[in-house]
Amino acid sequence: MKLTRSLLLASAAAFAGAGAQGADLPVKARAIEYVKICSLYGAGFYYIPGSDTCIKLGGYIRANVAFGTQSVFYGAGNGLGGAHNRLSNYYSSQSRIDFNVDTRTATEYGVLRTYAETVFTWSAGGYGGTGTTAINGATAYNGNNPAGSGSGTVAGGSLGVYYAFLQFAGFTMGRAQSQFSSPWTNYPGNGFDQLPGGGGWEAVDQFAYTADFGQGITASFSAENQVTRSTTNIWNVSGATATGLAAGAYGAGDIGGSRAPDLVAQLRVDQAWGLFQASVAAHDNHAAYYGADETTGHPSDKWGWATQLALSIKNIPTGAGDTINVQGVYTNGASAYNFHPYTSLTYAMYGGTGVPGAYQSVGLAGVSDSVFVAGAGQQLTTTYGFNGAYTHNWNPNWSSAIYGGWAAVRYNNTAKGYICGAFVTTLALSSGLAGCNPDFNYSAVGLVTRWTPVKNLAFSADIAYVMLDQKYASGSTVTLPLQSGIAKPAAAYELKDQNSLVLLLRAQRNW
């Protein structure tokens, strides 16, 4: 036992001595590579360790509550919001997280840039009618939030890709802002989503080239995917139904497969005084078939076009940082460059009536690129409009903007004949063909005030008044079918101008 103990002590002493000798040997410390600030492209960029690429991370958290609308931040122009009954939301809420990544690398061809921005959004949604008879009342949740790991839709939400593009040697490739749109798009005062009167915010897949002539003067040319961003409706009026007409759809949707991208050109002058921009676009209207199969024939393609002028005046005498933004647009067969993807393309707004025998009043309207009937060619739809805003900074923490937009939709006489033939026959328009006119005007005005108590944190209140000016003969009535989804009975309705008032309260923290 004593021998074993002696051996253990001797072994421990030997290891201790070896450790002490090892500790005395010089050891080269591993270099620590610290993240370095990149000052080449502005604040917030850092070098990616081990590379000459700079990266910037950003995003925001946003909380919204909107009153008088079914969704944030839209007017009550159709569906449950336009119904104005017990199925309509008095308020709606939404929460969103945004994350973006910007990378840039200096090359012999100029800066190589990639940019991506994604969002995850929770919108409250509502409950639509599912009953089939007058005594079978039922509703079901109709939000766009898929169920998650929790019960029901509690853990749901929706993922969106705002931008995903790369830029190299003057070229832009991927999902980016349309070259047609002004820098403020449909937000001249950074307010209401559905402001018409110019190219919208929604990004589009594109291949573009921008030539920089110096002194803030650039010219851009792009081929842009038209499938979802740049097409409104191509209506086959021969397929019009009572249900569709009652919702503002003047025919069956009859858009064919993609054939040609939208071709866009832009000239911009961006200097210290402000900005001027001129844009043009060409849009191919490619319809599908007259009937259910390819033997029924089809109308020939027709190219539409759009043009826009935009002007921004900075630092006007009313205060430091005050701005005026205005733009105007004219389209023929390319209505999405006026009624952008955030506006409604069909309108069915309900209200009160003073016409004897009418259950309520309704404003019906629809936007299209073209319309046709079986055996005939496409008739292109004309639109025009404008929007603008004045922004005033009261002090470094408070600012307000007053904004507005107006747009008109005009069908030619042939198109009116197609639409009114279906409208009078299907909905029994009381004033007949003489009182039928599917043209309409749509407008919105608003005021937003923001408080920024600390940097990158803002609270805002935004109120918007939306107006639908339809052109059917005053006092005319139509007979609409049962619309169980919005709980509207089959009855006579007066055709009448409509309006809605919407209030948005927002809190947002950028980072």
Side-chain angles (χ1 to χ4, degrees):
M1 188 70 179
K2 289 182 179 180
L3 178 61
T4 302
R5 182 181 302 173
S6 299
L7 289 173
L8 289 174
L9 289 172
S11 299
F15 279 118
Q21 292 173 3
D24 295 335
L25 294 175
V27 177
K28 186 176 180 180
R30 185 174 181 180
I32 299 176
E33 189 170 8
Y34 294 98
V35 176
K36 297 187 297 183
I37 294 174
C38 174
S39 59
L40 298 175
Y41 311 110
F45 281 92
Y46 297 86
Y47 282 102
I48 297 176
S51 78
D52 58 355
T53 297
C54 299
I55 188 170
K56 180 179 181 179
L57 306 179
Y60 62 80
I61 298 290
R62 174 187 292 174
N64 294 320
V65 178
F67 299 87
T69 181
Q70 204 71 17
S71 58
V72 180
F73 177 36
Y74 290 1
N78 52 27
L80 293 170
H84 294 125
N85 59 19
R86 290 184 62 85
L87 299 187
S88 306
N89 286 347
Y90 279 8
Y91 71 94
S92 189
S93 62
Q94 181 190 82
S95 298
R96 172 175 294 167
I97 179 172
D98 175 287
F99 178 71
N100 58 71
V101 182
D102 191 344
T103 69
R104 305 189 194 190
T105 307
T107 75
E108 59 185 303
Y109 299 96
V111 176
L112 167 61
R113 182 192 184 197
T114 65
Y115 183 82
E117 183 173 359
T118 61
V119 293
F120 193 81
T121 305
W122 165 264
S123 298
Y127 289 84
T130 59
T132 55
T133 68
I135 59 173
N136 179 24
T139 62
Y141 179 72
N142 59 10
N144 61 353
N145 302 300
S149 57
S151 60
T153 59
V154 174
S158 59
L159 180 66
V161 178
Y162 281 168
Y163 298 104
F165 64 84
L166 63 88
Q167 293 176 316
F168 178 67
F171 291 94
T172 298
M173 295 156 278
R175 182 174 174 81
Q177 190 62 62
S178 171
Q179 302 300 321
F180 186 89
S181 296
S182 65
W184 57 88
T185 63
N186 51 296
Y187 299 104
N190 197 22
F192 186 57
D193 285 333
Q194 291 190 308
L195 206 64
W201 177 84
E202 184 77 10
V204 60
D205 290 343
Q206 62 184 275
F207 184 88
Y209 178 75
T210 299
D212 190 338
F213 303 107
Q215 297 184 336
I217 303 174
T218 59
S220 298
F221 308 90
S222 63
E224 302 182 358
N225 192 323
Q226 62 155 262
V227 172
T228 57
R229 166 63 173 78
S230 305
T231 301
T232 59
N233 291 297
I234 296 178
W235 276 325
N236 182 347
V237 183
S238 297
T241 64
T243 301
L245 292 169
Y250 290 138
D254 211 355
I255 302 171
S258 62
R259 289 296 181 270
D262 281 17
L263 304 177
V264 178
Q266 172 217 105
L267 176 65
R268 178 180 294 176
V269 179
D270 190 353
Q271 298 174 341
W273 61 267
L275 176 143
F276 171 78
Q277 178 179 311
S279 309
V280 294
H283 172 76
D284 179 36
N285 291 287
H286 179 74
Y289 296 100
Y290 291 130
D293 67 74
E294 61 188 34
T295 65
T296 59
H298 58 81
S300 300
D301 286 19
K302 269 195 174 182
W303 280 83
W305 57 274
T307 184
Q308 176 180 272
L309 296 177
L311 177 67
S312 177
I313 303 176
K314 303 175 184 177
N315 297 316
I316 58 179
T318 55
D322 289 6
T323 59
I324 295 176
N325 295 327
V326 293
Q327 61 187 3
V329 64
Y330 188 97
T331 76
N332 181 247
S335 302
Y337 291 101
N338 187 357
F339 286 82
H340 51 83
Y342 278 8
T343 61
S344 296
L345 301 180
T346 57
Y347 297 85
M349 302 172 67
Y350 290 83
T353 183
V355 173
Y359 172 69
Q360 288 179 342
S361 66
V362 64
L364 298 176
V367 183
S368 68
D369 291 333
S370 71
V371 301
F372 65 90
V373 293
Q378 298 184 71
Q379 301 297 316
L380 300 184
T381 305
T382 296
T383 80
Y384 45 90
F386 65 89
N387 65 45
Y390 163 62
T391 299
H392 174 62
N393 293 278
W394 302 98
N395 58 46
N397 303 105
W398 288 89
S399 67
S400 296
I402 183 170
Y403 59 85
W406 178 91
V409 174
R410 299 292 183 262
Y411 293 93
N412 66 30
N413 289 334
T414 302
K416 287 179 181 177
Y418 295 161
I419 294 170
C420 290
F423 204 83
V424 172
T425 302
T426 308
L427 299 186
L429 178 64
S430 63
S431 55
L433 290 174
C436 180
N437 185 354
D439 295 345
F440 72 97
N441 302 329
Y442 169 76
S443 57
V445 294
L447 173 67
V448 57
T449 295
R450 302 178 186 86
W451 175 47
T452 306
V454 296
K455 184 179 180 181
N456 293 328
L457 174 65
F459 301 92
S460 62
D462 193 340
I463 189 167
Y465 183 65
V466 178
M467 295 156 282
L468 177 67
D469 174 18
Q470 53 92 50
K471 301 299 181 182
Y472 294 102
S474 177
S476 297
T477 62
V478 289
T479 302
L480 302 186
L482 168 67
Q483 300 173 82
S484 59
I486 59 174
K488 291 298 180 183
Y493 293 81
E494 177 193 5
L495 290 172
K496 185 180 177 181
D497 297 348
Q498 304 290 336
N499 55 71
S500 74
L501 186 66
V502 190
L503 172 65
L504 174 71
L505 301 179
R506 170 174 292 171
Q508 180 167 318
R509 201 281 195 213
N510 297 339
W511 58 276

